[in-house]
């Protein structure tokens, strides 16, 4: 009688079979929603086109991509958002509606300085500043500073925002350059009006300010007697540039 021996079973094969029975296959679709949102947000923060491509993958990714958190951190680089028609404009509006600081800031600058929609523009700038957007804080703070001398509460609030946000000359210079560049990207049809008598400067450097009203603040000519005079000077130059 002939005995039949089973084929030799490799240990690796056994492990694979056990793993297959006990460990189900994990896919990205099985991840919790919060983790998926974080993954998609990372893609969106790198490129808005990557977000558009992710939406085309499947229904799950499309649903995840519509989360407000994704749009709040999405990239706005190389985006022609001023075109009121098309996908880029819709994308930008979704970012703005989701509280994207950059979108609120850009829309605020565009509304106020180009479209002359002052109330809407300032509202968007204020929202962006409340989110901690540095450039928006600069513009909104100067707006509060440029007003009637009688409105001391508003001026003091502007001075507080600017003083708390900017702690170095270099930071002010870099911010100013960015703001002037963004503001100059469209036709300027409206400006802040800086009142000559603000009522908040210390008065010590009045003569020096009057002699240098055509110079931007930098390391060489920065008025350092006090923060109120410094920001008063900055506001005047911003309004006349």
């Amino acid at each position: 009688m002939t005995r039949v021996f089973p084929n030799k079973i490799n240990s690796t094969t056994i492990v694979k079979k056990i793993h297959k029975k006990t460990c189900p296959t994990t896919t990205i679709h099985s991840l919790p929603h919060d983790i998926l949102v974080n993954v998609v947000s990372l893609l969106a923060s790198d490129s808005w086109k990557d977000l558009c491509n992710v939406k085309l993958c499947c229904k799950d990714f499309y649903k995840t991509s519509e989360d407000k958190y994704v749009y709040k951190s999405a990239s706005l680089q190389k985006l022609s958002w001023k075109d009121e028609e098309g996908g880029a404009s819709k994308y930008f509006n979704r970012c703005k509606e989701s509280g994207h600081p950059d979108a609120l800031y850009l829309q605020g600058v565009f509304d106020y300085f180009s479209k002359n929609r002052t109330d809407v523009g300032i509202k968007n700038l204020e929202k962006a500043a409340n989110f901690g957007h540095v450039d928006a804080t600069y513009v909104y703070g100067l707006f509060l500073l440029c007003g009637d001398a009688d409105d001391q509460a508003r001026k003091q609030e502007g001075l507080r925002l600017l003083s708390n946000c900017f702690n170095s000359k270099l930071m002010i210079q870099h911010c100013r350059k960015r703001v002037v560049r963004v503001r100059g990207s469209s036709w300027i049809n409206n400006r802040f009006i800086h009142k000559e008598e603000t009522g908040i400067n210390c008065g010590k450097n009045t003569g020096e300010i009057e002699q240098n009203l055509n110079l931007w603040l930098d390391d060489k000519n920065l008025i350092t007697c006090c923060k109120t005079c410094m920001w008063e000077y900055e506001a005047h130059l911003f309004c006349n540039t």
Side-chain angles (χ1 to χ4, degrees):
M1 178 176 172
T2 304
R3 299 182 62 184
V4 179
F5 294 94
N7 294 331
K8 185 178 181 181
I9 300 177
N10 189 288
S11 59
T12 305
T13 304
I14 297 176
V15 171
K16 286 183 178 180
K17 288 183 178 180
I18 295 175
H19 180 78
K20 187 174 181 180
K21 291 181 180 180
T22 59
C23 302
T25 303
T26 302
T27 65
I28 194 168
H29 301 285
S30 64
L31 294 174
H33 177 72
D34 291 345
I35 295 180
L36 276 177
V37 169
N38 287 331
V39 171
V40 176
S41 295
L42 288 174
L43 291 172
S45 64
D46 185 59
S47 168
W48 70 276
K49 291 184 178 180
D50 286 345
L51 177 61
C52 295
N53 291 331
V54 166
K55 287 186 175 184
L56 300 176
C57 291
C58 62
K59 291 182 179 179
D60 290 339
F61 274 112
Y62 181 87
K63 183 179 179 180
T64 302
S65 300
E66 290 298 296
D67 192 284
K68 284 188 176 182
Y69 181 80
V70 174
Y71 281 96
K72 191 173 181 179
S73 57
S75 173
L76 299 180
Q77 296 294 325
K78 299 180 181 180
L79 184 70
S80 301
W81 59 273
K82 294 177 184 177
D83 183 7
E84 296 182 357
E85 298 181 358
S89 179
K90 293 179 180 179
Y91 171 86
F92 180 83
N93 288 333
R94 282 301 306 275
C95 290
K96 185 176 61 178
E97 293 166 0
S98 301
H100 194 303
D102 283 340
L104 291 169
Y105 162 68
L106 292 172
Q107 187 67 59
V109 171
F110 184 64
D111 284 337
Y112 190 97
F113 296 104
S114 183
K115 291 298 184 180
N116 205 19
R117 296 192 289 248
T118 57
D119 292 341
V120 177
I122 289 301
K123 186 176 181 180
N124 284 324
L125 288 170
E126 182 181 10
K127 288 180 180 178
N130 289 336
F131 280 119
H133 194 282
V134 174
D135 294 1
T137 302
Y138 174 87
V139 179
Y140 182 63
L142 292 182
F143 168 76
L144 294 178
L145 207 57
C146 296
D148 295 329
D150 295 335
D151 195 350
Q152 289 297 303
R154 164 177 157 167
K155 290 181 176 297
Q156 291 296 337
E157 176 62 15
L159 182 62
R160 184 191 66 80
L161 287 173
L162 293 168
S163 298
N164 290 343
C165 186
F166 298 92
N167 53 23
S168 71
K169 302 172 186 178
L170 187 62
M171 189 176 181
I172 297 173
Q173 292 171 26
H174 288 172
C175 178
R176 181 199 310 130
K177 290 178 181 178
R178 292 193 302 267
V179 170
V180 171
R181 183 171 61 250
V182 169
R183 187 183 62 170
S185 64
S186 302
W187 288 105
I188 299 177
N189 298 315
N190 189 28
R191 295 178 182 273
F192 291 162
I193 299 176
H194 182 251
K195 305 297 182 180
E196 293 182 1
E197 297 296 335
T198 62
I200 65 169
N201 64 72
C202 66
K204 293 181 181 180
N205 282 20
T206 303
E208 185 177 351
I209 292 175
E210 291 176 352
Q211 293 174 7
N212 296 283
L213 287 180
N214 61 336
L215 299 174
W216 277 113
L217 301 177
D218 57 29
D219 290 339
K220 295 181 180 179
N221 63 20
L222 181 64
I223 298 172
T224 57
C225 67
C226 66
K227 288 185 177 180
T228 55
C229 285
M230 182 188 74
W231 285 113
E232 192 69 31
Y233 187 89
E234 182 81 11
H236 178 89
L237 293 175
F238 181 81
C239 294
N240 291 279
T241 300

